[in-house]
Amino acid sequence: MPVAAVALVAGAVGAGPVIAAVQGDPALPERTAEQLLADAVRAARSDPRPMSGTLMQTSSFGIPGLPQVSGAGGSSPGALLAGSHELKVWYGGADRIRLALPGRMSETDLVVDGDRVWLWESGTNTATRITAGREDLAGHGRAPGDRAAEALPTAATPQQIAREVLERADADTAISVTGDEKVAGRDAYQLTLAPKDEASLVREIRLALDGETLVPLRIQVYAEGSAEPAFEVGFTTVTFSPPAPENFAFTPPPGAKVQEKALADLVPGPVGGQEKGEELADGAEVVGEGWTAVAVLPFSEKDLRGLASQKGQGAGSADAGAAEAAVESLLKSAERVDGAWGGGRIVRTKLVSALLTDDGRLLVGAVTPERLVEVAGQK
């Protein structure tokens, strides 16, 4: 789905846009939408340039049951599910990557330096050495850092999301372009992609592409009927030069708890990743394609409650209770639907709808509830 990556990144009631775009006189060569799209796709498929910068992410999906959060939250990856958050990035190549997620009184760092991969969590004073064979880290030809970075599964950059979006632009997408944006102090093109199918909850996706490198600097996802982005992530500062080697050096500080974990224990799913077209999970499938694709997978209310309980384990009783309370609130807010196919409960957010059927299926997509009900009747 065009916004599948976005839906995995975050979904909470948050603030409006936090990355300002400064309008000014056009300073870039004119390009048609088709030319810019083709160039952007080629750039997304090529190896990224060495760079460093600071990202800001904010989300306002409007998922019932999740608390209001504003400002910079905690430093755990799960904290990215609400409000606005900062992420620092250093990229020196496929095997030299550092991501830092700062919090109020702590920080979580993922450091990749060749085959040495560390996850540092200052809040618990824990350094985790991530172990796996190089072939496992690569995962079907992917670079070690690409796979290892999934240890922070909710930390998504504009490049990662834009790659997913650009690959899915088709005849059902209206495309336009302007060349007068400024993001992180750099001149940028703005490529706007809008679905033509009225069943999509997405009004449009705006990609700000660096005028020199075509690297995505910002991505904004607008829902139908909303004036502000439901999801936004972009650079507030960026430099396209190789980061200093010391940024990728990590030694556990004295007194830290040091442990080793296999990559498979930190990354959901097969270590090697999935090729395009592989099954998403046992019994899961995707109905339709493009903007209105719907994922259908075995999942029950019992599974949902169990997932909330699992997420709370090891995080403290307060966090566990909050997760369970969020699930209860979510289920109470769900609307009951029935038909010849059976029945279930449906939740609509700004960008995503989900239908949990009585017969143990979960249907989810960036589509209207009516589209989910239609698919449920087909299966």
Side-chain angles (χ1 to χ4, degrees):
M1 293 178 288
V3 293
V6 177
L8 292 173
V9 170
V13 179
V18 296
I19 308 156
V22 180
Q23 298 285 346
D25 294 332
L28 298 173
E30 288 190 7
R31 276 185 167 131
T32 67
E34 291 74 16
Q35 289 171 334
L36 184 58
L37 178 63
D39 290 343
V41 170
R42 281 193 293 271
R45 290 173 177 171
S46 62
D47 293 335
R49 295 180 50 161
M51 63 179 296
S52 60
T54 300
L55 290 155
M56 186 66 75
Q57 172 193 303
T58 188
S59 58
S60 179
F61 278 20
I63 294 182
L66 292 181
Q68 281 273 6
V69 178
S70 61
S75 62
S76 70
L80 286 175
L81 293 176
S84 299
H85 298 272
E86 184 180 83
L87 176 68
K88 297 181 179 180
V89 179
W90 295 262
Y91 183 82
D95 60 352
R96 304 194 83 183
I97 299 171
R98 180 180 172 187
L99 304 176
L101 180 62
R104 291 189 181 93
M105 301 294 291
S106 62
E107 182 169 291
T108 298
D109 285 64
L110 178 73
V111 184
V112 179
D113 187 8
D115 288 332
R116 292 171 54 85
V117 182
W118 287 95
L119 183 64
W120 165 244
E121 299 168 282
S122 69
T124 58
N125 198 31
T126 302
T128 303
R129 175 75 184 272
I130 302 175
T131 60
R134 191 172 183 86
E135 64 280 2
D136 290 335
L137 283 169
H140 295 289
R142 297 168 65 187
D146 289 342
R147 184 59 184 164
E150 294 179 21
L152 289 177
T154 54
T157 66
Q159 292 94 319
Q160 292 169 321
I161 301 173
R163 187 183 310 158
E164 295 291 325
V165 173
L166 291 169
E167 292 286 353
R168 288 163 175 78
D170 54 20
D172 293 324
T173 305
I175 306 171
S176 61
V177 63
T178 59
D180 57 355
E181 295 289 316
K182 270 196 178 293
V183 179
R186 296 183 65 89
D187 294 331
Y189 293 101
Q190 179 167 283
L191 186 66
T192 301
L193 301 93
K196 298 178 181 179
D197 195 325
E198 294 183 355
S200 174
L201 293 180
V202 178
R203 189 183 87 212
E204 63 187 29
I205 295 180
R206 300 178 185 176
L207 299 176
L209 305 171
D210 184 72
E212 178 185 350
T213 66
L214 293 185
V215 168
L217 298 178
R218 185 191 64 216
I219 182 168
Q220 298 169 306
V221 184
Y222 288 79
E224 285 289 351
S226 296
E228 304 292 351
F231 175 82
E232 178 179 19
V233 60
F235 287 97
T236 55
T237 63
V238 64
T239 301
F240 291 102
S241 60
E246 53 264 29
N247 287 302
F248 309 104
F250 177 80
T251 301
K257 176 185 176 182
V258 180
Q259 60 185 9
E260 286 195 0
K261 287 189 177 182
L263 184 63
D265 295 333
L266 295 171
V267 181
V271 170
Q274 292 176 325
E275 297 292 346
K276 187 175 181 179
E278 285 187 29
E279 232 179 327
L280 299 176
D282 292 340
E285 61 179 313
V286 175
V287 179
E289 57 186 24
W291 298 96
T292 55
V294 174
V296 184
L297 62 154
F299 199 76
S300 65
E301 181 179 324
K302 181 179 178 181
D303 295 326
L304 181 62
R305 296 181 185 277
L307 183 62
S309 177
Q310 179 183 0
K311 291 297 183 184
Q313 289 179 1
S317 58
D319 287 344
E324 293 171 2
V327 168
E328 291 299 330
S329 179
L330 185 69
L331 291 173
K332 287 180 181 179
S333 69
E335 178 184 351
R336 181 72 194 180
V337 292
D338 294 284
W341 51 273
R345 287 185 281 186
I346 197 164
V347 174
R348 171 175 173 168
T349 71
K350 291 181 182 179
L351 285 177
V352 179
S353 295
L355 170 61
L356 191 62
T357 67
D358 297 338
D359 58 8
R361 292 177 293 161
L362 174 65
L363 291 81
V364 61
V367 297
T368 62
E370 290 77 15
R371 169 63 175 158
L372 295 186
V373 171
E374 177 186 339
V375 173
Q378 297 171 357
K379 307 306 294 179

